[in-house]
Amino acid sequence: IKTICNSLENQEFCFNKWDTQIALESKEFETPKSIYLSHDLFWAERSNKSIIKNPYKELIFIKLQNMTFPVVIKSLTGFSSYGMDVAKTFPEALHFLNQKSGNEDKIIQEYKDGLHFGLEIYGDQENFEVLPPFLFTLNKYGITSPKQSIKIGPFNFDDEKYHEKLQLSRLKKDMEKLWKTFRFSGSIQVDLVFSEGKWYIIEINPRLSGMTLTYSALKNSNPQELMLKSLVDSNNFPKNQNITLCNLKIPVLSKADFEKLAQNPMIKRIFQIDNKLAKQKRDVGFCEIVFEAKNYCELSKVLELQALPNENTFFQDFLAK
């Protein structure tokens, strides 16, 4: 069966965050300054008591001192922000690194203070579409959390209101270059930060993502049709609707509450995962809701923002304007 999807090589370099970093740097994409930390070398003295001084660890500390804080410390293969630490100072970073829990290699990355966005790209090397970005809210640590983050958008590439302020034409060119350079195929999701006039690539996910339901709502379609038409019927790829959307997740609802909420005319999509066999609270599931409005002002009234998480004041200030 002929398939159209990302190569195993592309999946691997996106899976390993350090490989992603090296690949992006080699092709001159903007990405935060990072350090690779080998767990075995960092703790070499554990397995060899004759080691009095560990030059590898000392070099890591020197490199760390030369970074701009805060920094993000994360596993090479972590996902959904699990196991991620944000260190605001050098002593705090040392505290995280010297903890003896865990045995995985890590990547230490400078934190970019700015606006956090995400987008998806669909197609093959001949025909593909870069979908307009959505803004993400942040948690109290200053990072996006897939099960808590609120997404709002889209910020259309041809919208003059945000075009210059967010350098959207530059973003689109960068994403087209990214797709062609690494010969992606099928779909990818890209996490981005817009900081001091530059777009930084934080992570690439070569698959459908937590944004797919929102994009299918934007195109008045469904995820399956979105993928199928982008690949085999690109000339009839669903068009973006002129609407404003907000995606948020809430705890699992009862069947009655779910059906009642689904009748709300402002809800464009509603979807629920309920894992009754989950052993951890984070794996129980969630209800994902996509609200629709004509514009950001109407959306703010619909959602009554004072009832939503207030961890990201920019999000609320933006909607208030």
Side-chain angles (χ1 to χ4, degrees):
I1 300 174
K2 182 180 179 181
T3 59
I4 302 175
C5 63
N6 287 300
S7 67
L8 190 57
E9 289 77 12
N10 275 352
Q11 293 178 53
E12 189 282 328
F13 99 75
C14 294
F15 179 69
N16 184 317
K17 290 181 174 60
W18 183 248
D19 285 351
T20 307
Q21 179 78 18
I22 296 301
L24 291 173
E25 287 181 356
S26 70
K27 301 300 180 182
E28 299 182 343
F29 287 98
E30 293 285 358
T31 187
K33 180 180 177 182
S34 302
I35 300 173
Y36 170 71
L37 187 149
S38 164
H39 177 269
D40 289 343
L41 291 174
F42 190 80
W43 293 109
E45 60 270 28
R46 285 182 179 178
S47 57
N48 189 339
K49 300 301 181 182
S50 64
I51 296 177
I52 305 301
K53 287 283 188 179
N54 184 337
Y56 179 82
K57 182 179 290 188
E58 290 185 22
L59 181 60
I60 290 293
F61 290 160
I62 291 173
K63 289 181 177 180
L64 188 57
Q65 283 180 310
N66 290 325
M67 297 186 82
T68 300
F69 283 82
V71 297
V72 180
I73 304 171
K74 50 190 175 182
S75 166
L76 292 189
T77 57
F79 65 96
S80 298
S81 302
Y82 295 143
M84 185 182 297
D85 295 307
V86 178
K88 296 181 180 179
T89 63
F90 178 70
E92 195 171 335
L94 291 187
H95 171 72
F96 287 132
L97 295 179
N98 284 322
Q99 289 178 341
K100 296 189 177 182
S101 59
N103 59 359
E104 69 274 8
D105 293 352
K106 293 181 173 62
I107 181 171
I108 306 169
Q109 195 169 64
E110 288 185 350
Y111 177 83
K112 287 297 178 183
D113 187 18
L115 306 180
H116 291 236
F117 290 84
L119 59 76
E120 288 187 337
I121 308 175
Y122 289 84
D124 56 27
Q125 279 296 297
E126 299 300 323
N127 298 290
F128 64 92
E129 180 175 347
V130 180
L131 300 180
F134 276 72
L135 175 70
F136 295 167
T137 60
L138 309 178
N139 63 19
K140 62 183 179 181
Y141 303 106
I143 57 179
T144 59
S145 176
K147 292 185 179 179
Q148 297 176 355
S149 179
I150 301 170
K151 306 175 185 69
I152 181 171
F155 290 80
N156 294 313
F157 293 115
D158 57 357
D159 191 335
E160 295 182 359
K161 186 176 181 180
Y162 307 105
H163 200 278
E164 186 174 345
K165 185 178 292 187
L166 291 176
Q167 299 290 312
L168 292 176
S169 58
R170 179 63 187 177
L171 172 62
K172 189 172 184 181
K173 288 179 180 178
D174 286 348
M175 294 300 98
E176 290 172 347
K177 176 185 173 184
L178 179 73
W179 182 269
K180 293 177 180 178
T181 298
F182 296 107
R183 300 192 62 79
F184 287 113
S185 188
S187 73
I188 64 172
Q189 187 271 338
V190 187
D191 287 331
L192 303 146
V193 173
F194 183 69
S195 176
E196 298 180 346
K198 292 183 178 180
W199 284 97
Y200 292 87
I201 299 175
I202 304 300
E203 194 170 298
I204 306 172
N205 300 297
R207 51 170 169 75
L208 299 179
S209 74
M211 300 188 71
T212 304
L213 189 70
T214 307
Y215 279 123
S216 67
L218 178 65
K219 291 183 173 291
N220 199 29
S221 180
N222 59 62
Q224 294 81 1
E225 184 181 26
L226 203 63
M227 175 65 78
L228 183 64
K229 287 197 171 183
S230 70
L231 298 174
V232 302
D233 192 15
S234 57
N235 292 328
N236 292 314
F237 193 48
K239 303 297 183 183
N240 296 341
Q241 298 183 91
N242 187 26
I243 54 177
T244 300
L245 299 173
C246 177
N247 176 306
L248 59 87
K249 295 183 177 72
I250 61 175
V252 175
L253 300 174
S254 67
K255 183 178 179 180
D257 286 340
F258 181 89
E259 292 176 349
K260 181 179 179 181
L261 190 59
Q263 301 303 313
N264 188 316
M266 301 303 295
I267 293 179
K268 184 75 172 178
R269 293 285 188 277
I270 184 168
F271 171 80
Q272 181 159 289
I273 292 177
D274 186 6
N275 181 5
K276 300 184 184 302
L277 299 179
K279 295 181 179 180
Q280 297 185 20
K281 185 177 180 180
R282 72 185 189 191
D283 296 325
V284 168
F286 55 86
C287 179
E288 182 175 3
I289 306 169
V290 181
F291 290 91
E292 174 188 357
K294 294 178 181 178
N295 50 53
Y296 294 114
C297 183
E298 181 180 277
L299 185 66
S300 65
K301 294 177 182 178
V302 171
L303 297 179
E304 298 180 354
L305 286 180
Q306 65 270 21
L308 293 179
N310 59 2
E311 295 163 339
N312 188 328
T313 56
F314 169 83
F315 178 78
Q316 290 149 1
D317 292 343
F318 173 80
L319 286 182
K321 296 176 183 178

